Amino acid sequence: MITLQDLEKCTSEEQRQDFIYKCIMRHKGSDTSQMYRIASKYYEGHNVTIEEFQKILYTVTGKIVPDEISPNHKIKNRMFSMFVTQQVQFLLGNGVTWESGKQDESLGEDFEDRLLNIAEEALLGGVAYGFYNLNHIECFHAGEFVPLYDETDGALKAGIRFWQIDPQKPLRCTLYEMDGYTEYSWVDGECEILQDKQKYITKYKGTEADGMKIYAGENYPGFPIIPLYAQKSRESVLVGNREALDAYDLIKSGFANDLDEASQIYWLIQNAGGMDEVDLANFLNQIRRTHAAVVDEDGAKAEPHTIDIPHQAREIILARLEQDLFRDFMAFDPRNVNGGAVTATQIMAGYELLNSKEDYFEKNVTKFIKGVLEIAGIDDDPAYTRSMIVNKQEEIQNVLTAATYLPDEYVTRKILTILGDADMADELIKQKEEEMLERMAMMNVGPVGQTDGTSAGEAGTEAEEGV
């Protein structure tokens, strides 16, 4: 494992450049980078295993040749994409709620969208990195970033982000360190420094005539790249589940191949041993053209046959694999709660596995966000509202049952949240308060100006009695 201390051992610029290039080449061939690329393919709907699958035949001499004749369907499922999307949206689909009441402007208007992207990339590669860049965060995925951890405390304190749009094009990279960043480029094996090390925050001043000039720069209080880990093993969520996804696709594709082959009608011609392949081909062509044929041989007859493909065993194993995938991914299967009268308890039971998985992922997301807040100098705490199916009628009834023990504002906000109209809470609460004030004013104003709600005669009587 290459660490920060290995970089610090480079005493000259040539050694640093050689070190950076070797890190990039090593990372390209690493298990982490390769698994990220494979997981990204599965996420996009490309099953790498089945796309590379080729049916073969053996000749009479035992030679292996590709089978270019029989059907070779390659059916690919999108379950992996669904599982990843479900996990991210379940936690972050409703956005981030801040203890301060609003998101700090220095995080950027699209902070939540960028956070969703980083979370998805973390699940694909096992880890993703967020670079806090003055007023927004940028995502570095596991396939393009080489982390350099400190041997003393295990913290991430340097890293190399690289990219190359084509093997024949220049290799670009940026070395990020605690005290700034440096940009490099490799063309035909020759390294060029595109930009000397400079600080992360650059300050400019100038006039229209003179132009803007750099007059100062400063760094962040810590390393501005923060890792977000998907799970404890720091591996892609595809690991351990890829084989089941492959088996599902291979069985389904094989079933389609067999059905395709068996969909044809086979003809059995009796007492026509003198027919060669040309005669048989002419016989089939006549069948296709006229849907009738004559067999010239004496006593010969032709009978059509079809083949029934056994399907029960395959349907059972496909259903079992799909059930196992939902269990192993700890995902929520909406088919388990699609009945007409499902209680809130049954719905919660259906979310049990996903909630258990999400509890750990939430800790990692919170740790990541807190790291970003620390670099940005923001004192706040994030919270989340998980995106769940609910029995709205039952949930609202529970709230109304407890309403006598709760503040009116809380009851209103809770009901609107269940109905999906939480954004209207402030407006409706204000409107409700205004209506209440109007009713109180109407009740307290009497016909001759009394403010206690009594009639004129009653008021006079009470006054006299009081004296």
Side-chain angles (χ1 to χ4, degrees):
M1 180 179 182
I2 301 176
T3 64
L4 173 67
Q5 280 68 25
D6 295 322
L7 173 64
E8 293 175 343
K9 292 177 183 178
C10 300
T11 56
S12 66
E13 182 57 38
E14 290 76 12
Q15 289 179 335
R16 285 168 64 88
Q17 294 174 8
D18 184 61
F19 172 82
I20 293 170
Y21 187 79
K22 288 181 178 179
C23 283
I24 294 173
M25 294 300 107
R26 179 173 176 175
H27 187 75
K28 283 186 174 182
S30 66
D31 292 340
T32 299
S33 182
Q34 291 181 12
M35 180 52 66
Y36 169 78
R37 289 194 292 269
I38 293 173
S40 297
K41 289 290 185 182
Y42 276 79
Y43 183 76
E44 295 166 359
H46 298 282
N47 184 317
V48 178
T49 303
I50 198 170
E51 287 183 352
E52 296 176 353
F53 177 75
Q54 174 64 55
K55 298 175 71 174
I56 60 175
L57 295 172
Y58 291 91
T59 64
V60 292
T61 60
K63 183 180 178 181
I64 299 176
V65 295
D67 182 0
E68 305 291 351
I69 301 175
S70 60
N72 188 18
H73 294 287
K74 296 183 177 182
I75 302 173
K76 290 158 281 190
N77 70 78
R78 296 298 300 267
M79 283 190 284
F80 180 67
S81 175
M82 179 193 69
F83 293 142
V84 171
T85 302
Q86 183 186 89
Q87 182 173 351
V88 173
Q89 292 294 331
F90 183 63
L91 179 65
L92 301 173
N94 290 323
V96 180
T97 304
W98 301 96
E99 186 179 43
S100 62
K102 60 179 295 186
Q103 177 185 297
D104 193 282
E105 293 181 356
S106 61
L107 293 177
E109 293 182 357
D110 58 350
F111 172 77
E112 293 183 351
D113 293 335
R114 292 175 179 266
L115 179 62
L116 282 170
N117 184 31
I118 295 173
E120 286 182 351
E121 296 288 5
L123 295 179
L124 297 181
V127 61
Y129 307 87
F131 169 44
Y132 181 72
N133 191 6
L134 188 60
N135 57 7
H136 66 281
I137 55 173
E138 299 177 16
C139 176
F140 298 161
H141 61 68
E144 66 179 356
F145 186 77
V146 185
L148 299 176
Y149 294 94
D150 191 339
E151 296 176 8
T152 57
D153 56 11
L156 180 64
K157 294 184 179 178
I160 306 164
R161 191 224 177 179
F162 63 92
W163 63 98
Q164 188 175 21
I165 60 175
D166 186 86
Q168 307 303 321
K169 300 300 180 180
L171 170 64
R172 293 282 305 274
C173 83
T174 303
L175 171 64
Y176 296 92
E177 300 176 89
M178 294 287 289
D179 58 345
Y181 65 95
T182 312
E183 296 185 359
Y184 298 88
S185 174
W186 275 266
V187 180
D188 297 328
E190 296 295 327
C191 180
E192 176 186 359
I193 300 177
L194 299 179
Q195 181 171 282
D196 292 324
K197 181 184 289 188
Q198 77 173 47
K199 298 183 182 298
Y200 290 103
I201 303 174
T202 305
K203 298 182 179 180
Y204 297 86
K205 67 178 180 180
T207 63
E208 291 186 9
D210 298 333
M212 302 299 292
K213 297 181 181 180
I214 299 174
Y215 76 92
E218 61 184 68
N219 291 312
Y220 297 106
F223 189 56
I225 300 178
I226 301 94
L228 171 58
Y229 299 105
Q231 50 189 353
K232 187 175 182 180
S233 63
R234 299 187 180 182
E235 292 182 307
S236 168
V237 294
L238 182 63
V239 175
N241 296 302
R242 179 183 178 184
E243 294 76 11
L245 290 167
D246 292 344
Y248 186 91
D249 287 349
L250 289 170
I251 293 172
K252 197 169 185 178
S253 300
F255 194 13
N257 292 335
D258 292 344
L259 288 174
D260 195 353
E261 287 186 308
S263 64
Q264 304 176 20
I265 298 177
Y266 295 86
W267 290 85
L268 180 61
I269 305 176
Q270 299 179 0
N271 299 325
M275 296 179 68
D276 57 17
E277 290 189 5
V278 175
D279 296 327
L280 292 173
N282 291 332
F283 171 81
L284 291 176
N285 287 333
Q286 186 177 358
I287 290 281
R288 296 189 185 101
R289 291 196 312 270
T290 65
H291 300 285
V294 177
V295 182
D296 296 332
E297 299 289 339
D298 293 337
K301 63 178 181 179
E303 295 179 354
H305 293 271
T306 58
I307 298 177
D308 292 330
I309 299 297
H311 62 89
Q312 292 182 346
R314 301 194 195 202
E315 290 179 351
I316 291 174
I317 188 61
L318 285 174
R320 178 63 181 272
L321 281 171
E322 186 173 354
Q323 181 181 353
D324 289 349
L325 281 167
F326 271 95
R327 181 200 62 201
D328 294 340
F329 272 101
M330 301 179 72
F332 171 73
D333 188 351
R335 294 172 299 182
N336 295 334
V337 292
N338 62 358
V342 182
T343 66
T345 303
Q346 290 173 306
I347 295 174
M348 289 300 297
Y351 278 102
E352 183 61 29
L353 285 177
L354 181 56
N355 270 313
S356 298
K357 176 177 66 173
E358 212 69 59
D359 288 341
Y360 183 83
F361 188 54
E362 180 179 326
K363 292 179 182 178
N364 288 353
V365 172
T366 300
K367 185 176 180 180
F368 168 80
I369 294 177
K370 294 287 285 184
V372 173
L373 297 180
E374 183 178 353
I375 296 298
I378 302 171
D379 184 17
D380 210 339
D381 287 301
Y384 322 91
T385 301
R386 298 187 180 183
S387 181
M388 300 176 63
I389 299 173
V390 297
N391 185 325
K392 293 185 178 180
Q393 182 178 358
E394 185 175 351
E395 291 288 323
I396 292 174
Q397 186 61 44
N398 291 337
V399 174
L400 293 176
T401 302
T404 55
Y405 305 98
L406 300 171
D408 290 344
E409 181 176 341
Y410 174 84
V411 173
T412 302
R413 290 186 182 278
K414 189 68 175 178
I415 292 177
L416 289 174
T417 300
I418 295 172
L419 294 174
D421 297 323
D423 295 339
M424 299 177 60
D426 292 335
E427 179 182 350
L428 292 179
I429 289 172
K430 182 179 179 181
Q431 182 178 343
K432 187 176 179 181
E433 290 176 349
E434 291 175 352
E435 291 176 354
M436 184 178 295
L437 290 173
E438 290 179 2
R439 288 196 299 269
M440 291 177 63
M442 293 177 62
M443 293 175 61
N444 290 335
V445 176
V448 293
Q450 287 82 4
T451 59
D452 57 0
T454 61
S455 66
E458 293 173 337
T461 301
E462 290 176 355
E464 293 173 354
E465 291 178 350
V467 174

